[in-house]
Amino acid sequence: MATSTSSVPAAAQFFSSQSKALDEKQPTAQAAFTKEGTGPGTIDVPALPVGKTRIGLVINCTEGVDWKVAIPQKTAANAGAPCSEGITPIADFAIDSPKGVTKLELSLSSSTTYWLTVYYV
């Protein structure tokens, strides 16, 4: 069943919930940026700040499909779960090259809307 646009909360509500979840589960995390989008794609994450070694994400997406994220690097880094507007999963990954741009490859259906917070740990 498709989610109607009128029933989807505003992006600010998702980002606020993600910020609270991040504060509770990763209190030492530093939020990098938020992004709202639709469908699969690659998200460029800037170099990690000095002292940080991991990149993480908090994600919500319209229900009915699964999301997956992978980081193409030597050390395996991937995660996934069913999309949810009410449950806010958190995942983070060790980064092989923290001084360069890291690419997050987000996989979900082309009609799925997502709200994502990327953070450093």
Side-chain angles (χ1 to χ4, degrees):
M1 179 180 199
T3 304
S4 77
T5 333
S6 61
S7 69
V8 176
Q13 289 177 295
F14 285 113
F15 296 139
S16 176
S17 294
Q18 291 173 357
S19 178
K20 287 178 188 172
L22 193 56
D23 285 345
E24 290 173 7
K25 295 179 182 176
Q26 287 284 4
T28 62
Q30 174 184 343
F33 60 88
T34 59
K35 179 173 176 55
E36 178 180 11
T38 303
T42 300
I43 300 165
D44 289 340
V45 180
L48 280 67
V50 173
K52 303 294 184 182
T53 59
R54 301 176 72 82
I55 290 176
L57 62 97
V58 186
I59 187 169
N60 293 99
C61 45
T62 50
E63 298 180 27
V65 299
D66 290 352
W67 63 268
K68 293 178 185 167
V69 68
I71 299 173
Q73 62 178 12
K74 194 176 206 177
T75 306
N78 56 66
C83 280
S84 176
E85 294 173 38
I87 297 171
T88 307
I90 294 177
D92 67 74
F93 314 96
I95 302 302
D96 289 347
S97 299
K99 293 182 180 180
V101 172
T102 300
K103 297 194 177 291
L104 297 179
E105 295 177 349
L106 183 61
S107 299
L108 36 74
S109 74
S110 61
S111 62
T112 301
T113 301
Y114 65 87
W115 301 268
L116 175 76
T117 297
V118 174
Y119 64 91
Y120 304 118
V121 181

